[in-house]
């Protein structure tokens, strides 16, 4: 099933962002490194940048150094920061955990990744997108192809629409509204993911975030930043562009943006996407 899941994700918008295989082998070196980057975020407790990759969760400690948190190897297909030292993730256990179920379900840490607990769906769900909006948590389960919503931080779920989702965006001030980037373009739901409709005139985006109920910021298929200040009615490109397609993206706020390109480099904008600088480059890149 893992090969099927990855093939489906790569087919969405032909982004090819998942870069996984049915049984992807780690490199032959003692430490496999980060692998493909699936998520990036900032811990508000100390401002540290975290990178969720195929081989674990990493804390960026320098321009070309990142430390694997707690020495834990696991494939983080979904990742989001929801508070100080508090993260949610999903994906698959590492190869060392051969006896573990193939899917992590929803897992949570309250100590910046030092320890994790299973919240729900262990062994069954593989959430490729996670988005908290106030008291509502949204997720896209690659196993069922459906968007889900939860009113109790993922302990229980309500099934939503079937969509081929790459990324989800929602905000606490309008928690009932959730956007999705899909192979059919940007789509929006006003009923917590039960039904989606197209966002007319939206650019073709790979990733999307919603810093507030009016602002949408995303990356298009060519790596350009696209911004809407009116909930998707109109769009503009502020001028900033990544050197390639984004594999992961988050808007920490309306000005600070983080994005990972396919080479594992983490780029940052502090001016809402007008310009970017490199905050982390893997040593071998």
């Amino acid at each position: 099933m893992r090969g099927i899941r990855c093939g489906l994700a790569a087919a969405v918008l032909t982004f090819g962002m998942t870069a996984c295989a049915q049984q992807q082998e780690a490199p032959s070196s003692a430490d496999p490194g980060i692998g493909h980057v699936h998520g990036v975020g900032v811990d508000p407790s100390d401002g540290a940048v975290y990178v969720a990759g195929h081989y674990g969760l990493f804390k960026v400690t320098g321009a070309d150094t990142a430390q694997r948190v707690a020495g834990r190897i696991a494939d983080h297909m979904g990742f989001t920061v929801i508070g100080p030292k508090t993260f949610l993730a999903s994906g698959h256990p590492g190869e060392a955990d051969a006896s573990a179920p193939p899917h992590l379900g929803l897992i949570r840490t309250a100590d910046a990744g030092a320890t994790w607990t299973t919240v729900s769906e262990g062994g069954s769900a593989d959430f490729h997108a996670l988005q908290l909006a106030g008291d509502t948590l949204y997720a896209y389960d690659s196993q069922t192809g459906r968007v889900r919503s939860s009113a109790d931080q993922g302990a229980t779920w309500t099934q939503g629409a079937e969509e081929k989702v790459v990324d989800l965006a929602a905000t606490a001030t309008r928690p009932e509204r959730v956007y999705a980037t899909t192979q059919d373009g940007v789509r929006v739901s006003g009923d917590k993911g039960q039904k989606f409709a197209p966002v007319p005139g939206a650019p073709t985006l790979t990733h999307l975030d919603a810093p507030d109920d009016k602002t949408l910021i995303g990356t298009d298929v060519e790596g350009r930043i696209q911004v809407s200040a009116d909930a998707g009615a109109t769009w503009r490109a502020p001028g900033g562009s990544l050197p390639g397609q984004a594999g992961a993206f988050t808007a920490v706020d309306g000005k600070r943006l983080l994005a990972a390109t396919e080479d594992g480099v983490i780029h940052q904008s502090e001016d809402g996407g007008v310009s970017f600088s490199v905050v982390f480059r893997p040593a071998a890149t």
Side-chain angles (χ1 to χ4, degrees):
M1 285 298 295
R2 188 168 179 186
I4 295 173
R5 180 179 60 254
C6 294
L8 173 62
V12 174
L13 293 172
T14 67
F15 293 160
M17 291 182 292
T18 329
C20 52
Q22 186 168 1
Q23 292 293 332
Q24 180 170 340
E25 296 294 332
S28 59
S29 61
D31 190 314
I34 296 174
H36 189 264
V37 176
H38 298 301
V40 62
V42 173
D43 183 351
S45 72
D46 59 5
V49 174
Y50 282 81
V51 178
H54 190 82
Y55 297 113
L57 177 67
F58 293 77
K59 181 179 182 179
V60 173
T61 54
D64 59 359
T65 57
Q67 180 181 5
R68 179 181 285 107
V69 179
R72 178 176 176 269
I73 294 179
D75 184 5
H76 294 77
M77 296 299 298
F79 174 77
T80 189
V81 175
I82 63 169
K85 298 185 181 298
T86 307
F87 315 152
L88 299 175
S90 189
H92 318 285
E95 292 182 3
D97 300 322
S99 62
H103 310 302
L104 295 175
L106 181 68
I107 59 175
R108 178 188 175 107
T109 178
D111 52 18
T115 60
W116 293 84
T117 57
T118 299
V119 179
S120 65
E121 302 288 327
S124 59
D126 175 18
F127 298 119
H128 282 198
L130 295 164
Q131 175 66 62
L132 186 64
D135 293 330
T136 301
L137 177 65
Y138 291 103
Y140 172 68
D141 179 19
S142 68
Q143 296 302 287
T144 61
R146 290 186 178 276
V147 175
R148 297 193 194 185
S149 65
S150 173
D152 51 18
Q153 301 238 336
T156 60
W157 295 94
T158 298
Q159 292 280 6
E162 186 173 355
E163 296 280 347
K164 294 178 179 178
V165 172
V166 175
D167 199 15
L168 296 170
T171 185
T173 51
R174 288 286 301 273
E176 76 284 355
R177 186 177 64 192
V178 57
Y179 295 85
T181 60
T182 78
Q183 70 175 12
D184 298 318
V186 180
R187 296 172 65 79
V188 64
S189 170
D191 56 7
K192 295 191 173 183
Q194 293 300 302
K195 300 182 298 295
F196 282 82
V199 177
T204 304
L205 302 180
T206 60
H207 295 81
L208 187 62
D209 222 336
D212 58 58
D213 63 358
K214 295 293 185 182
T215 306
L216 295 169
I217 306 176
T219 57
D220 69 19
V221 292
E222 295 182 355
R224 292 183 300 250
I225 299 301
Q226 300 283 348
V227 178
S228 173
D230 49 18
T234 60
W235 296 81
R236 65 180 180 86
S241 183
L242 302 168
Q245 199 173 91
F249 173 80
T250 189
V252 181
D253 52 41
K255 294 294 185 181
R256 188 179 183 189
L257 316 178
L258 289 171
T261 42
E262 293 297 316
D263 54 6
V265 175
I266 308 301
H267 306 265
Q268 177 176 265
S269 174
E270 296 183 292
D271 52 18
V274 176
S275 61
F276 279 88
S277 61
V278 172
V279 295
F280 171 71
R281 185 186 302 274
T285 300

